[in-house]
Structures are given as C-alpha cells and as structure tokens.
Amino acid sequence: MNEYLNSVLEAVTRKNPNEPEYLQAVKEVLLSVEPLINNHPEYKKLGILERMIEPERIITFRVPWVNDSGDVIVNRGFRVQFSSLIGPYKGGLRLHPTVNQSIMKFLGFEQIFKNALTGLPIGGAKGGSDFDPKGKSDAEIMRFCQSFMTELYRHIGQDVDVPAGDIGVGGREIGYLFGQYKRIRNAYEGGVLTGKAVVYGGSLARTEATGYGLIFYVREMLAANNNSLNGKTVIISGSGNVAIYACEKAAANGAKVVAMSDSNGCIYDKNGIDLDLIKQIKEVQRGRIKEYLNKHPEAEYIETTSEDAPIWGIKADIALPCATQNELNLNSAKKLVENGVIAIGEGANMPLTQEATDYFLSKGVLVAPAKAANAGGVATSAIEMSQNSMRYYYTFEEVEAKLEKIMINIFKACKEQSEKYGLKNNYVAGANLAAFEKLAESMKAQGVV
Ligand code: NDP
C-alpha cells in the first residue's frame, strides 16, 4: 500500500479501535484500489477515500418489548445510513445476538460497493438489533418488530432508506415491520421495505434471488476459466435463505451438494442433500439441522466444537460459505485446498478472513467475492421497488431473467477490472475496483457533501 493509503488506514484504525469487522472490510478495499488511486491523483485532494469510509449517519436506539412471561426486555437497535451517493440508502436488517456497531458498519460499507455493482440506483445501509429470534414465539417476534419499527419509521421511506431482510429477518419479520410502518404513517408506501410477501407487494423470485444469483456468478466465473458446475461436488455452509436457494440452483446446474450446516454443526450426505427436507426443517419447523438424521440416518452429523467449522473439512470441488462473517479461516482454507477445491463462492458477507482469501488466491483457487456474488438479493430488491412504483408485477421468469443478466454483467465488470490492472483472476480486487470507480466519479460530480 502506498503512503497515502497507509495514512488513511492508520487514521481509520485510530478512530475506530473497537471495530475489527469494520476495519477488516475497509482494509480489503484499501488494499485493492491502489492502482485506481494512482491513476487519479485528484481523489486524494477531494478526500474521496476519507468520505467513502465515513458513514453519512449512524442511528442507535432503544427497543423495549414485552416477552410472553410479561417481562420487559431492552435491546439495542441500529441503522447505519452509509451512503446516499447513487440512490436511497438500501440494505438489510439483521437480528442476531452478535450485532454491534462494528458489524453494522462493515455490512453498511460493503453494501455501498455491492449496490453500485448491480448497476441500479441504490445507496448503501445496514441495520438490525442484538435481539435473538431463536426460540421466540411468533407473538414475541411481532412485539419486537413493532417496537423496532416504532423508532425506525422516522428514519426511513421509499425515497430515503429502504431496509430488507438479512440474518434472522425473513418474510415473517418483514411483514410485522411493514404492518407497523403502515399503521404509523397512515400511508401505503409499498417500496419502503423489500422482501415483502408476494400477496401484498413483494416480488416473485426475491426469496430465491441471493442464492440463485450466487450460482449465476459462480457459473460465469467457472465458464471464464473453462470449467462448469456440472458434475461438481459442492459444500454449502448455513441452511438459511441464501444457502437453501444456492443449493437449489447448484443442483439445477448439475452439481451435487453433499453438506450444509447451521451454527451447531453440519450434515454430510454423500448421496446428495435432500433439500425438501432442509426446507421443511428450516423454513417450516424452524428446527436444527441435526434433525435431518431423523429421516436420513445414513447421513453423518458433525458438531461444531471450535473456530474451525467442520464443514470445511469435507472434500469438495466448490465451497460456498453462506452463513456469516469470518466463518472460513486460514486453517479451513488449507484443508479445502488440500482436498482439491477449485472455487469459492461467497454467499454470506465477508465469510472469508483476509488470510483465507489471500491463501486461496495464492493457490490459484477462484474466489467469487461477496460484494459481487451475493448482490443478486439486493438487485432483486431494487426490482421489487420498481414494481411497487409502477404498481405492477413481473412474472417469476421475468424477474429471474433480469437477475441472471445483472449477475452476468457484474461478473463481466469484475473480470474486466482485474484484467485492466493485470490482476489475473483476482475478482476480489476486480469487484472493489469496478465499484469504487463508479462511486468516486459520483462523489466528484456531487461536490463536497
Ligand atoms: P438466515 O438467517 O436465513 O440464515 C443464516 C444461516 O447461517 C443459518 O443457517 C444460521 O444458523 C447460520 N449462521 C448464522 N450465524 C452463524 C454463526 N455464527 N456460525 C455458524 N452459522 C451461522 O440468513 P441469510 O441466509 O439471509 O444470510 C446469510 C448470509 O448471507 C449473511 O452473511 C447475510 O448477510 C448474507 N446475505 C443475505 C442476503 C439475503 O438476501 N438474505 C443478501 C446478501 C447477503 P443458525 O440457525 O444456527 O443460527
């Protein structure tokens, strides 16, 4: 890194000492954009980097709610409105006990770049709460969501900030949030939230979009390297929204998915994962992945007992981390390489540690970076917003075709940028460079704001 980039990194590290995930995300971008900064000396004078890494606004708030026993519980709510440079703030809401400001900022920061890559007019944001939805009744989830929205509503709007789902926030939660927003605002502003159920303004194929989009991207990446998904063995961490639909599309492309996981452990089914059963356990029963063995006793269950998630010890051609940040570390990367992995597709946000990414790239393993590869979800959210504005619905096939085209274009942009700067097959840098240039040029055009 040159002196200027080092000074930016040093300043951001000093200002945010307790935010490791945020610093990790910033560092990855700074490491990638050096050639672009060298080509544009005016970016330094204009403070482009300094402005890009500082959120426009961070909102934190109290979320009090009453549990089924009548006790008052207080959680902390967040909304990081990172960038409105190219559209209204846009990004999901996460409900998970690990949520804190560092995680919100890293996710919001990544979202700016991801949204720029989609080619659609959406800014970057993220939000959520340290509320743990696991084991809560429907009524508790509803009371929490209503309390959360009772504060959040004043900061959002279909032309201001448009939240969506993320870990712990699916169709049920979006429904409760939307109901409360509509009640407070006394207006049907359909485009204020995305990921809505189709019956009241959601988009067909939004549920499938992130997982399907990931597979479209991985397919393009393999094709550009004279390979394909057909006949490949795949392992997918997580068993939530992204993982389930990545599994579905991977199988449709002729791959065999042999393992999936949740935070307690993973199942290995050498005959190929029974996805209908996973959907039943996770989407209907909201159960644990271990329950897979009740129907398939021949499969194997491996419990997670350390930082090295056991799923990465299973032999596969392609690994798709689709659970959470930093879930695949250097140890796991080494095991995957030893076992002959050829490609990694990041379905989750920042699932690889920096060391794991560097290791894969140094071994010639293809890496589909999250900012690009999981952008299909937010792209389809933007398509949901346009349908809401038009008061019109596209068919499933129409939305999927648009999604596929967007993912193909995103891969092309990553490839072009990596080639332009002589970084062969480094799509991680390619994604950062492609998004950064677009954002920097928008910043230049809009003056010092
Ligand atoms: P879900 O809540 O639907 O599923 C999350 C899955 O990951 C669950 O199987 C969960 O297991 C597992 N998981 C969560 N935390 C951990 C952990 N600390 N260790 C191991 N496993 C864990 O979330 P999504 O599928 O929506 O999101 C998954 C990832 O994809 C996140 O990084 C998210 O930011 C990213 N993403 C999601 C998009 C979307 O459209 N939904 C769009 C783009 C990115 P358990 O049930 O045991 O907690």
Side-chain angles (χ1 to χ4, degrees):
M1 259 199 283
N2 68 28
E3 205 180 315
Y4 168 53
L5 289 167
N6 259 322
S7 73
V8 173
L9 181 61
E10 197 264 321
V12 74
T13 307
R14 189 165 20 84
K15 272 201 216 170
N16 304 279
N18 301 314
E19 300 189 349
E21 293 86 1
Y22 167 60
L23 293 174
Q24 183 184 341
V26 170
K27 192 172 174 192
E28 185 206 288
V29 171
L30 294 184
L31 282 168
S32 300
V33 298
E34 182 162 4
L36 192 57
I37 299 288
N38 290 341
N39 279 359
H40 290 273
E42 78 278 15
Y43 286 180
K44 182 178 170 191
K45 189 143 185 77
L46 291 170
I48 298 283
L49 271 173
E50 290 84 344
R51 282 192 274 160
M52 199 92 77
I53 62 182
E54 188 67 24
E56 288 179 18
R57 190 176 296 113
I58 300 180
I59 301 145
T60 62
F61 51 96
R62 181 173 69 194
V63 190
W65 58 281
V66 181
N67 72 12
D68 287 347
S69 314
D71 300 322
V72 174
I73 311 288
V74 177
N75 284 105
R76 181 171 292 173
F78 293 91
R79 189 69 180 163
V80 177
Q81 297 181 330
F82 221 115
S83 170
S84 58
L85 205 46
I86 58 169
Y89 305 111
K90 177 96 195 83
L93 296 173
R94 175 176 292 192
L95 298 182
H96 196 273
T98 56
V99 162
N100 58 31
Q101 184 163 301
S102 173
I103 291 180
M104 293 288 97
K105 279 171 69 181
F106 118 67
L107 289 164
F109 181 66
E110 295 253 317
Q111 197 80 44
I112 316 170
F113 295 87
K114 182 185 310 195
N115 293 4
L117 285 171
T118 65
L120 300 168
I122 37 180
K126 203 75 189 191
S129 171
D130 57 0
F131 171 80
D132 185 359
K134 271 201 204 91
K136 302 290 188 299
S137 69
D138 266 2
E140 288 176 320
I141 299 279
M142 182 175 75
R143 287 195 293 273
F144 172 83
C145 288
Q146 289 179 339
S147 179
F148 186 85
M149 185 52 87
T150 301
E151 172 60 31
L152 187 70
Y153 88 94
R154 68 187 87 243
H155 308 291
I156 62 174
Q158 53 191 359
D159 297 317
V160 179
D161 182 354
V162 182
D166 189 76
I167 293 179
V169 177
R172 173 182 58 169
E173 292 74 19
I174 294 292
Y176 295 147
L177 290 164
F178 185 73
Q180 184 72 351
Y181 179 86
K182 184 168 63 62
R183 185 183 191 192
I184 296 173
R185 295 279 300 132
N186 189 31
Y188 202 103
E189 297 167 4
V192 72
L193 286 166
T194 59
K196 300 179 293 294
V198 176
V199 283
Y200 69 89
S203 174
L204 288 161
R206 172 60 187 91
T207 306
E208 293 82 356
T210 309
Y212 279 20
L214 171 66
I215 298 302
F216 290 141
Y217 188 98
V218 169
R219 184 193 72 192
E220 292 303 299
M221 180 175 78
L222 290 169
N225 290 278
N226 304 315
N227 217 326
S228 79
L229 279 153
N230 195 25
K232 298 294 186 302
T233 302
V234 177
I235 52 179
I236 305 180
S237 65
S239 44
N241 174 265
V242 180
I244 285 176
Y245 293 96
C247 180
E248 187 165 287
K249 206 44 149 188
N253 277 270
K256 184 171 167 187
V257 180
V258 295
M260 290 180 84
S261 67
D262 62 21
S263 54
N264 297 115
C266 72
I267 42 150
Y268 171 49
D269 187 340
K270 62 178 185 323
N271 301 318
I273 291 287
D274 176 350
L275 188 60
D276 287 341
L277 180 58
I278 295 280
K279 284 184 180 173
Q280 176 66 26
I281 295 170
K282 289 293 176 182
E283 295 183 335
V284 183
Q285 293 160 220
R286 299 182 188 273
R288 308 309 300 159
I289 205 156
K290 194 177 181 180
E291 293 163 33
Y292 188 91
L293 296 186
N294 297 341
K295 191 168 168 204
H296 290 289
E298 73 287 1
E300 200 183 326
Y301 177 72
I302 318 168
E303 203 158 291
T304 304
T305 52
S306 77
E307 273 193 354
D308 303 346
I311 191 166
W312 310 126
I314 294 168
K315 186 172 167 52
D317 303 308
I318 296 167
L320 306 177
C322 295
T324 194
Q325 65 274 355
N326 291 327
E327 55 166 312
L328 200 168
N329 60 20
L330 182 59
N331 277 343
S332 302
K334 286 183 176 165
K335 276 188 230 159
L336 284 163
V337 170
E338 247 172 62
N339 281 332
V341 79
I342 57 165
I344 310 292
E346 294 188 321
N349 285 310
M350 205 169 72
L352 306 191
T353 62
Q354 184 71 50
E355 296 77 25
T357 304
D358 292 345
Y359 185 74
F360 284 130
L361 293 176
S362 73
K363 295 288 171 189
V365 175
L366 301 171
V367 178
K371 286 186 192 84
N374 73 22
V378 75
T380 308
S381 277
I383 297 172
E384 179 174 337
M385 288 161 72
S386 41
Q387 292 172 84
N388 295 147
S389 296
M390 290 188 294
R391 309 262 193 275
Y392 183 75
Y393 286 101
Y394 295 132
T395 64
F396 190 100
E397 292 71 24
E398 283 171 320
V399 179
E400 192 181 356
K402 289 179 197 302
L403 167 67
E404 185 170 8
K405 203 163 153 196
I406 290 168
M407 297 313 297
I408 291 171
N409 286 338
I410 294 178
F411 176 71
K412 264 194 201 145
C414 297
K415 182 167 180 285
E416 272 167 26
Q417 289 295 313
S418 66
E419 284 167 0
K420 178 172 167 189
Y421 291 101
L423 304 159
K424 188 171 175 290
N425 291 349
N426 184 343
Y427 308 120
V428 179
N432 286 327
L433 286 159
F436 192 91
E437 184 159 28
K438 180 172 178 183
L439 292 160
E441 291 304 311
S442 308
M443 218 174 234
K444 256 168 80 176
Q446 293 180 23
V448 182
V449 289

